[in-house]
C-alpha cells in the first residue's frame, strides 16, 4: 500500500481516532467496540459500535484481506461507492442497498449503514434450502430494475472498473482452463481433478470461453452489479438487501443474469425456478436468453473447476452432470 494510505487496524484507539478525523463520529461519541460483521474475503470490513449506534466501515487494500500475498486493485471500494452514487436517484434500488454515509477517497474506505446481523444467502447451497417466490422476485427484480434504470441512455457516467474486471476475467475465463494452474481439485472433491482435465483439453470449448471473455471485457450499455450471487444477497428483517457491488461495470445484462441463474442451478433449486426468474426479468427488461445461458454455463464451469469455490453440497456425479450440461451449452 502506498505511503499516502492509512491502513486501518482492528484496534479501538486507532479506529476511534481515524473515525474522529473523518468526522464520522459525533464530538461526544465514543467507540464501545467492533466486530467482523460476516464472512468476507477481499476487504477489511468491520461493524463499529458506539454508545449511540452501529455502522459498517469497509476498506479496500492493494491485496486480498484473507490472502495478503495476493494483489488486488486498491481503489475498488471507490468503485463500490460510485455504484451507490449512480443508483441514489432510484428509490426502489436505493431501498434495497445499504445507505452510503461517507467515503474516504484517500484511504479507500466506505462508511455504510449497518443492516444488522443478517446472513447472506450462501446457505442456499446446502441441501433442501430454497428461495421462496418472494425472494426470487426481489432478487430478480432488483437486477432488472438496475439494468433498466441505469444505462447509457440515462447517465453519462462510465464506471469501467477495468482493473476489477481484469481480475474477474482472469478467474472466470482463464485460470480454470490452464493445464498447470496449481489448483488440485481433488482437495475440493476427490475425483474432480480428473474430471477437470477433459475441460482443460477441450479446444473447442476454450475457444468459446475466450470469445465470451472478450464480451465480458467490452464496455456495454447497462450498469451491472457485477458479482450477483448469493454472497451478495443479505437476508435482513426488511427483506433482501443487495451488497458488495465492487465488481460493477457497464456491460451486458446477460452476464449478470447468467451468473445468477448459474448459482440457482448449483444450489439445486426446484425445477422451474430459472424459467420463473427469466419471466420476472422479462416483465421489466429485455434479455437475450441464449447469451444468458452461455454466461450461465461459463459461471458453472469456473465455480466447479476454478479457484473461487463454493460450499456446494453436490457430489461428484452431480457436478459432472452440471459441467457436461455447461459444455453442451457452449459448443
Ligand atoms: N452494511 C452491512 N450491514 C451488515 N452487515 C454487512 C454489511 N456489509 C457487509 N456485511 C457483512 O459482512 C460480510 C462481508 O461484506 P462484503 O461482502 O461487503 O465484503 P467483501 O470483503 O467484499 O466480501 P467478499 O470477499 O466475500 O466479496 C457480508 O457477507 C455481511 O455478512
Ligand atoms: Mg466483495
Amino acid at each position: 500500500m502506498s505511503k499516502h494510505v492509512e491502513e486501518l487496524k482492528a484496534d479501538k484507539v486507532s479506529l476511534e481516532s481515524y473515525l474522529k478525523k473523518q468526522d464520522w463520529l459525533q464530538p461526544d461519541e465514543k467507540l464501545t467496540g467492533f466486530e467482523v460483521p460476516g464472512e468476507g474475503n477481499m476487504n477489511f470490513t468491520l461493524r463499529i459500535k458506539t454508545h449511540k449506534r452501529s455502522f459498517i466501515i469497509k476498506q479496500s487494500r492493494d491485496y486480498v484481506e484473507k490472502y495478503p500475498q495476493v494483489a488486488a486493485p486498491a481503489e475498488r471500494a471507490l468503485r463500490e461507492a460510485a455504484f451507490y452514487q449512480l443508483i441514489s436517484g432510484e428509490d426502489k434500488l436505493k431501498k434495497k442497498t445499504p445507505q452510503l454515509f461517507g467515503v474516504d477517497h484517500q484511504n479507500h474506505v466506505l462508511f455504510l449503514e449497518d443492516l444488522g446481523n443478517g446472513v447472506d444467502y450462501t446457505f442456499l447451497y446446502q441441501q433442501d434450502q430454497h428461495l421462496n417466490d418472494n425472494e426470487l422476485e426481489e432478487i430478480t427484480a432488483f437486477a432488472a430494475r438496475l439494468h433498466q434504470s441505469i444505462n447509457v441512455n440515462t447517465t453519462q457516467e462510465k464506471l469501467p472498473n477495468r482493473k476489477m474486471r481484469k481480475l474477474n476475467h482472469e478467474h472466470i475465463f482463464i485460470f480454470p482452463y490452464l493445464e498447470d494452474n496449481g489448483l488440485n481439485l481433488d482437495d475440493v472433491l476427490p475425483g474432480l481433478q480428473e474430471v477437470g482435465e477433459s475441460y482443460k483439453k477441450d479446444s473447442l470449448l476454450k475457444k468459446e470461453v475466450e470469445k465470451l471473455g472478450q464480451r465480458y471485457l467490452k464496455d456495454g450499455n447497462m450498469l451491472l452489479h457485477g458479482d450477483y450471487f448469493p454472497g451478495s444477497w443479505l437476508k435482513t428483517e426488511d427483506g433482501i438487501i443487495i451488497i458488495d457491488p465492487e465488481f460493477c461495470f457497464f456491460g451486458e445484462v446477460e452476464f449478470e443474469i447468467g451468473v445468477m441463474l448459474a448459482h440457482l442451478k448449483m444450489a439445486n433449486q426446484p425445477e422451474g425456478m430459472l424459467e420463473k426468474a427469466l419471466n420476472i426479468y422479462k416483465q421489466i427488461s429485455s434479455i437475450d436468453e441464449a447469451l444468458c445461458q452461455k454466461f450461465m454455463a461459463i459461471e458453472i464451469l469456473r465455480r466447479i473447476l476454478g479457484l473461487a469455490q463454493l460450499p456446494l453440497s453436490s457430489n461428484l456425479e452431480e457436478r459432472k452432470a452440471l459441467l457436461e450440461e455447461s459444455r453442451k451449452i457452449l459448443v
Side-chain angles (χ1 to χ4, degrees):
M1 200 168 272
S2 101
K3 59 177 184 285
H4 306 293
V5 173
E6 176 176 350
E7 192 156 320
L8 301 185
K9 288 186 185 64
D11 161 80
K12 214 163 130 181
V13 174
S14 71
L15 281 172
E16 189 169 279
S17 116
Y18 169 79
L19 293 166
K20 281 247 148 83
K21 216 166 51 194
Q22 289 302 315
D23 252 342
W24 290 350
L25 286 184
Q26 290 144 21
D28 60 338
E29 198 173 7
K30 286 263 170 302
L31 211 147
T32 56
F34 59 85
E35 64 192 23
V36 176
E39 187 95 32
N41 295 322
M42 290 278 283
N43 303 290
F44 179 83
T45 310
L46 281 183
R47 169 177 290 120
I48 304 286
K49 294 177 172 180
T50 76
H51 61 289
K52 290 183 168 167
R53 58 179 173 155
S54 66
F55 54 82
I56 303 289
I57 55 168
K58 180 171 177 179
Q59 181 175 43
S60 58
R61 292 150 170 191
D62 59 3
Y63 57 86
V64 175
E65 196 59 30
K66 204 163 159 188
Y67 309 101
Q69 69 282 10
V70 179
E75 296 186 355
R76 59 193 179 277
L78 304 184
R79 306 293 97 79
E80 184 168 345
F83 178 95
Y84 292 131
Q85 194 61 43
L86 268 171
I87 65 164
S88 64
E90 296 289 330
D91 256 13
K92 277 190 169 160
L93 298 174
K94 201 172 175 207
K95 268 194 349 227
K96 294 272 152 213
T97 55
Q99 271 200 69
L100 181 63
F101 297 134
V103 183
D104 173 359
H105 290 267
Q106 168 77 29
N107 301 305
H108 319 130
V109 185
L110 306 181
F111 170 27
L112 292 159
E113 172 190 6
D114 184 5
L115 301 164
N117 240 328
V119 294
D120 69 33
Y121 274 79
T122 42
F123 64 79
L124 273 188
Y125 305 114
Q126 294 166 23
Q127 244 149 44
D128 302 318
Q129 290 286 342
H130 303 147
L131 286 179
N132 65 36
D133 284 350
N134 275 337
E135 292 170 316
L136 186 68
E137 158 83 28
E138 279 192 71
I139 288 160
T140 312
F142 178 89
R145 288 198 185 105
L146 171 67
H147 305 156
Q148 181 64 29
S149 49
I150 318 290
N151 54 60
V152 291
N153 300 315
T154 65
T155 177
Q156 308 264 31
E157 219 55 53
K158 291 288 178 246
L159 231 176
N161 205 357
R162 217 163 282 297
K163 287 183 183 163
M164 287 296 271
R165 236 194 301 172
K166 188 165 178 296
L167 176 71
N168 225 11
H169 177 267
E170 188 71 29
H171 279 282
I172 300 172
F173 300 94
I174 310 283
F175 181 90
Y177 305 95
L178 293 178
E179 293 270 1
D180 296 307
N181 60 20
L183 177 66
N184 183 1
L185 290 167
D186 287 341
D187 291 344
V188 176
L189 190 67
L192 193 57
Q193 181 69 20
E194 198 191 323
V195 172
E197 297 304 335
S198 80
Y199 293 85
K200 294 178 181 176
K201 293 194 172 82
D202 189 333
S203 52
L204 267 180
L205 174 73
K206 284 163 72 165
K207 226 171 158 170
E208 198 53 34
V209 172
E210 222 268 335
K211 274 197 235 161
L212 287 156
Q214 290 312 314
R215 289 187 83 138
Y216 171 76
L217 288 175
K218 245 181 81 183
D219 290 332
N221 294 337
M222 317 290 202
L223 179 61
L224 311 186
H225 174 280
D227 196 17
Y228 211 58
F229 85 118
S232 298
W233 310 334
L234 206 64
K235 193 176 171 118
T236 80
E237 281 172 8
D238 305 316
I240 300 176
I241 305 286
I242 308 302
I243 61 167
D244 199 16
E246 61 187 343
F247 285 98
C248 63
F249 67 102
F250 283 81
E252 294 186 304
V253 302
E254 290 79 7
F255 172 74
E256 186 112 291
I257 302 306
V259 167
M260 179 185 100
L261 297 181
H263 287 267
L264 298 182
K265 258 183 106 67
M266 289 184 283
N268 203 16
Q269 297 298 290
E271 199 68 41
M273 190 185 282
L274 274 69
E275 207 183 311
K276 250 189 211 169
L278 277 169
N279 284 332
I280 296 167
Y281 189 92
K282 285 188 288 184
Q283 280 177 17
I284 302 172
S285 206
S286 61
I287 190 161
D288 171 346
E289 288 185 46
L291 181 58
C292 188
Q293 290 281 316
K294 288 188 176 181
F295 279 120
M296 176 186 83
I298 291 278
E299 178 70 2
I300 291 174
L301 286 161
R302 79 97 166 200
R303 287 294 187 167
I304 295 181
L305 301 176
L307 197 58
Q309 289 285 327
L310 301 164
L312 299 179
S313 48
S314 46
N315 62 28
L316 188 63
E317 286 309 311
E318 291 162 327
R319 286 185 216 193
K320 268 168 87 171
L322 280 170
L323 292 171
E324 236 356 80
E325 192 183 339
S326 301
R327 183 187 343 233
K328 288 208 179 94
I329 291 169
L330 290 167
V331 297

